[in-house]
Amino acid sequence: MQTVRIAPADPDDRGVADLLFTAIGGDRTRLAAATRRYRIDGSTELVTATIGDELVGVAGYDIGHDHLVLMHLATAGTHRRTGIGRLLVADIGSRHPDLPVVAETDGTSVGFYAAIGFTGVPLGEKYPGVPRFRMTLGSDSARATAGPAADDAGTSRVIGG
C-alpha cells in the first residue's frame, strides 16, 4: 500500500512546473501565465500529490461563486492509471463540498472524467479539429463516485497495493 499526501503546492517549484507543463500541453508561454495566476490570484488554488518524497500529481482550480473550475490536472507518467487523478479531484471537491466541479477537456480525457462520475456536454470544436467537452461533477452523492477524498486533515490517503 502507498500513502498519497495531498497538500497545497508552490507554483514556482520545479517539479510542480514540470507537471503543469504537461497539463497545459507543453507551451512555455501558457506555463508562465498559469504559474503567475496561481501565484497572485486569490481565487485559484494548486495542490500536489506525493508518495514519500516523490511528486506524483498536480491539480489546479479556480473557486467561482457557483462552481469550481478544474484548470489543470496531471499525473506523473509512472503513476498514471493508479488513482492519483481521482484522489486529486476528490480532494478538491472535499475542500468545497457545496460547489460542483467543472472541467473543460478534449476527447482524450472524457473517459477519465466519466469514470469518476462527471457528466459531459459537447462544446463543439473550440479549436480547429479538436472537439471540446464540458464535464461536471455535481452533488456530494455524485462525488462519492470519484472515490475517497483525503482524510479529515485533508492531507493523505492510502491507495493501491
Side-chain angles (χ1 to χ4, degrees), residues 49-80:
T50 56
I51 297 175
D53 292 333
E54 181 183 7
L55 176 64
V56 296
V58 65
Y61 60 101
D62 182 72
I63 306 163
H65 294 289
D66 59 355
H67 63 278
L68 304 174
V69 177
L70 184 61
M71 298 185 307
H72 302 106
L73 179 64
T75 302
T78 56
H79 291 279
R80 290 192 182 124

Side-chain angles (χ1 to χ4, degrees), residues 16-32:
V16 171
D18 288 346
L19 277 177
L20 276 176
F21 187 69
T22 300
I24 63 170
D27 182 316
R28 292 280 175 208
T29 302
R30 289 179 59 205
L31 175 62

Side-chain angles (χ1 to χ4, degrees), residues 97-119:
D98 297 333
L99 298 176
V101 180
V102 176
E104 184 178 311
T105 190
D106 59 23
T108 59
S109 297
V110 168
F112 163 76
Y113 287 107
I116 65 172
F118 281 72
T119 57

Side-chain angles (χ1 to χ4, degrees), residues 118-140:
F118 281 72
T119 57
V121 176
L123 298 174
E125 289 185 12
K126 290 183 77 175
Y127 312 103
V130 182
R132 300 290 289 177
F133 299 85
R134 178 184 171 102
M135 306 300 291
T136 303
L137 182 63
S139 68
D140 284 339

Side-chain angles (χ1 to χ4, degrees), residues 1-6 48-52 54-57 75-76 78-91 112 146-151 155-161:
M1 293 266 180
Q2 300 174 324
T3 300
V4 178
R5 177 175 158 71
I6 299 175
T48 56
T50 56
I51 297 175
E54 181 183 7
L55 176 64
V56 296
T75 302
T78 56
H79 291 279
R80 290 192 182 124
R81 305 183 80 61
T82 65
I84 302 297
R86 179 184 298 260
L87 284 175
L88 285 163
V89 171
D91 180 78
F112 163 76
D151 65 14
T155 58
S156 65
R157 177 58 94 198
V158 175
I159 65 164

